[in-house]
Amino acid sequence: MRTHIKNISWSVRIVESIISLILLLLVSPLLLLKACYLKYQHAQAIEVVYLHSGNEKPIALLQFIQPQWSYWLGLINVIKGELGFVGCQYQYEVLEYQDYIVRPGLMSFSQMHSRMGIAYDKFTIDPKLNASVSRYILTTLRYLIGYTLSSKMVCTSQTHFTLLKVAISNVTMKQAIDSLLTSGRSRNCDAFAFVNTDCMNIAHTNIEYRQVLNQTKQVFADGSGLRLACKYNHIVLKDNVNGTDMFPRLCEQAAKNGTSIYFLGAKPGVAEKAAANMTKRYPQLRIAGIQDGYFKAHQTEDIIKHINQSDSGILLVAMGAPTQEMWIANHQHQLNVGAAVGVGGLFDFYADAVTRAPLALRQMGMEWTWRLMQEPKRMWRRYIIGNPLFVLRVLIDLIAQRLLAHKSANKATLQFASTPSQNANPLVATSINVNLLDATTQRKSWGKQRWFFSKIKLNQISKRLLDISASASLLLMLSPLLLLTACAIRLESKGNVFFSQTRAGQDNQPFTMFKFRSMFTDAEARLGKLTAQNDMQGGVLFKMKSDPRITHIGAWIRKLSIDELPQLWNVFKGDMSLVGPRPALPSEVNQYQLSDRRRLMVKPGITCIWQVSGRSHIPFDKQVELDVDYIYQQSLIKDIKLLFKTIPAVIFARGAY
């Protein structure tokens, strides 16, 4: 009986069918071209694979004979109701059938865990997945994000790779634990380390730390940031080997093998509680010793002596990167433990001082958003600035590698051409060499041009990544303030809380911009009577210091720029950017001179140069000059600096009215 089909609501069927039909219509020209090409090249374009359906009639899944783009054909099965967007892993008919908990899907729970490198983590399948359209869509979106971050292949023989000059071990969670336990049985201290995007950013600028990492026995890749970087470099990362997931599994195996563990680091009391929680879970676990990380330098020798006397096999050092790795490297020759590994803030999680992100976020590789919400003051720089910066560095390194490879190939060609050949015609040889030199000069010129445009493209990518991560984080963190502001506006005056208005976007494309309503609802009707009192020079923009249309709450939120916060949604959508020229009204654009229209070359932003240099006190023509200066000098670093300068400009309300 196909219970997994019977439990599908009509709303889910209607939504998935409509979406599948639209997607198929959009990609049908490409699919048709693909089919024609395969038919011409191989005399066959499509094959049929049969899957278990849960009853006697199998599911016929169409696939191209070459696997690329085959998943689009699976949308036909979604329209027919045989498969869902997400569900159980479908089973080939040639294999033994095991009951489906829910309907099979194009994306599966088991595949998701494998691709995200958390196959070691147990997953549960919601039996009511197909009963609610909201639950179904949210699950599908969650898995789409995970699939975007992950690699297609989940099997690889590559055991090591280098990323941003750091040598990293490509191992599974089980292999990493086995390596630690093997070293733990000896008394020759081996150093291990975990690296995430923050560690990689530190290693990029801290040469000593990078050298220490490269001298450790193994460096484990931790987090979705490194998985994304590996995807860009066509490296298939086996597992997300992070300390938080490894710790309980390591304790379990250590308890079975009789390997003792020493806890060093964290605040007083944290390591003790983490150790107590682990011994409750694994009673056979041997805790060799516990020492917090708040000790003086002169106490180091006594602590090392205590570690050595404890007969510990594995030393966990929780001091944060790069301090913990540097401490291990400096004292490695004194330690009689088999394995010493830096574990960062690991003890906090298992001492119940910090909560772990829900599995849903970890499946998407978005655990960092949970940490950011928990400790925004401490973590905002690491994630909001650090994550886009890491991606930018990876992309720059990737382009540099390709340019170097291209240069090496050209050099090899020149060396071959310059090698004299017996019985060669000197005139012909000279002509060949001249042509090759001309070609090489042309290639260098093209290389410089490609590098120039690549930098522009990289800047656009990094800017968009910063916009998405920062706007999403700020919307979450500022949600209480947004709610209070909405309530205050509604209590003072009737009407909509939000004010929406058509503005001119990039290339003068119109979009709807959102703000908190700071004026009475009849403000637009009263504008004509106030035009003569415009305080703004130039006549294009309208600004009035004592505008009678502004409400009491509106005056405060305008002064503190709180009325602009809903535009974070425009930034998240892609209509605007965090930094850029302010979006103009279409009526204002109609008054622009030709030179003023240069402001429309980029996405409009929430803040820019003139917003931090006087705001409304600056005349329009000067605003245009500052905006154009920004357009030609824009970079990720400049954007970050302008965002920092915006904070005091908002706090002190310079030029705001």
Side-chain angles (χ1 to χ4, degrees), residues 384-393 396 455 458-467 469 579 630 633-643:
I384 295 178
I385 297 177
N387 286 355
L389 184 61
F390 170 71
V391 174
L392 178 63
R393 283 169 171 165
I396 291 174
K455 286 197 295 184
L458 282 172
N459 181 65
Q460 292 173 345
I461 293 171
S462 60
K463 186 179 179 72
R464 184 61 187 141
L465 288 171
L466 176 63
D467 286 344
S469 59
V579 182
Y630 166 76
Q633 299 174 20
Q634 60 179 312
S635 66
L636 180 64
I637 302 300
K638 191 173 186 67
D639 281 4
I640 293 171
K641 288 180 179 179
L642 284 171
L643 289 171

Side-chain angles (χ1 to χ4, degrees), residues 451-642:
W451 175 243
F452 174 75
F453 289 110
S454 295
K455 286 197 295 184
I456 295 176
K457 189 65 178 176
L458 282 172
N459 181 65
Q460 292 173 345
I461 293 171
S462 60
K463 186 179 179 72
R464 184 61 187 141
L465 288 171
L466 176 63
D467 286 344
I468 292 172
S469 59
S471 60
S473 303
L474 288 170
L475 282 169
L476 286 172
M477 290 188 293
L478 297 174
S479 54
L481 175 62
L482 299 176
L483 183 61
L484 287 173
T485 304
C487 293
I489 293 170
R490 192 68 181 86
L491 287 172
E492 183 183 10
S493 63
K494 294 181 179 179
N496 293 327
V497 170
F498 295 104
F499 173 71
S500 61
Q501 194 175 46
T502 300
R503 295 292 180 111
Q506 186 175 9
D507 300 324
N508 203 20
Q509 294 298 312
F511 73 97
T512 301
M513 188 191 77
F514 298 97
K515 299 176 70 173
F516 276 125
R517 181 172 60 84
S518 59
M519 295 184 174
F520 293 102
T521 53
D522 61 345
E524 291 294 321
R526 295 162 61 183
L527 177 61
K529 298 178 181 179
L530 301 172
T531 306
Q533 303 177 49
N534 190 2
D535 293 328
M536 199 69 189
Q537 298 179 24
V540 177
L541 302 178
F542 179 83
K543 289 280 185 179
M544 188 174 174
K545 288 185 178 179
S546 301
D547 196 328
R549 302 173 301 161
I550 299 175
T551 64
H552 293 296
I553 295 296
W556 279 101
I557 63 175
R558 287 166 73 98
K559 190 171 185 179
L560 298 173
S561 297
I562 296 174
D563 62 321
E564 309 287 356
L565 292 180
Q567 290 164 40
L568 291 170
W569 177 247
N570 291 107
V571 175
F572 186 77
K573 285 174 58 184
D575 297 328
M576 295 175 62
S577 179
L578 289 173
V579 182
R582 287 295 294 155
L585 291 164
S587 58
E588 295 171 349
V589 174
N590 292 336
Q591 301 178 57
Y592 279 7
Q593 298 179 11
L594 188 61
S595 59
D596 299 337
R597 290 181 176 268
R598 290 176 295 174
R599 304 178 79 201
L600 306 174
M601 293 168 59
V602 296
K603 284 183 183 179
I606 295 179
T607 186
C608 202
I609 297 176
W610 67 268
Q611 278 81 9
V612 301
S613 306
R615 298 169 81 173
S616 299
H617 293 322
I618 299 177
F620 176 72
D621 56 347
K622 184 63 176 177
Q623 292 179 13
V624 174
E625 288 181 19
L626 293 173
D627 285 340
V628 172
D629 285 345
Y630 166 76
I631 290 170
Y632 289 113
Q633 299 174 20
Q634 60 179 312
S635 66
L636 180 64
I637 302 300
K638 191 173 186 67
D639 281 4
I640 293 171
K641 288 180 179 179
L642 284 171

Side-chain angles (χ1 to χ4, degrees), residues 251-440:
C251 290
E252 181 182 11
Q253 294 302 315
K256 291 178 180 178
N257 297 342
T259 304
S260 59
I261 301 178
Y262 194 104
F263 290 57
L264 173 62
K267 294 180 180 178
V270 173
E272 286 89 341
K273 190 171 182 181
N277 288 339
M278 283 297 105
T279 51
K280 285 181 183 178
R281 192 184 299 190
Y282 308 108
Q284 302 300 318
L285 179 64
R286 291 171 51 207
I287 305 298
I290 300 170
Q291 170 64 51
D292 65 70
Y294 288 73
F295 55 85
K296 304 295 183 181
H298 68 271
Q299 297 176 289
T300 302
E301 294 300 324
D302 292 335
I303 291 171
I304 292 174
K305 184 178 179 181
H306 184 259
I307 293 170
N308 292 338
Q309 290 175 348
S310 69
D311 195 33
S312 172
I314 298 174
L315 171 65
L316 302 181
V317 184
M319 299 178 180
T323 305
Q324 58 197 17
E325 286 78 19
M326 305 297 286
W327 190 91
I328 292 171
N330 291 334
H331 303 289
Q332 189 173 358
H333 65 285
Q334 298 174 268
L335 293 168
N336 292 334
V337 296
V341 53
V343 294
L346 173 68
F347 298 160
D348 292 324
F349 288 103
Y350 290 94
D352 302 322
V354 178
T355 57
R356 187 84 191 274
L359 180 60
L361 284 177
R362 285 150 53 199
Q363 287 173 334
M364 292 189 293
M366 302 293 285
E367 188 171 4
W368 63 271
T369 58
W370 184 264
R371 296 286 290 118
L372 181 61
M373 286 190 291
Q374 288 180 312
E375 300 180 84
K377 288 185 179 180
R378 192 168 75 90
M379 296 294 183
W380 72 270
R381 187 185 298 272
R382 175 186 295 187
Y383 295 127
I384 295 178
I385 297 177
N387 286 355
L389 184 61
F390 170 71
V391 174
L392 178 63
R393 283 169 171 165
V394 169
L395 292 174
I396 291 174
D397 184 66
L398 184 60
I399 291 173
Q401 289 178 28
R402 291 182 178 178
L403 289 175
L404 182 62
H406 185 70
K407 185 176 180 180
S408 300
N410 289 340
K411 186 176 181 181
T413 304
L414 279 174
Q415 289 176 345
F416 173 78
S418 61
T419 303
S421 174
Q422 292 182 354
N423 304 320
N425 187 325
L427 293 175
V428 174
T430 302
S431 176
I432 291 173
N433 286 337
V434 169
N435 290 336
L436 283 170
L437 287 170
D438 289 342
T440 303

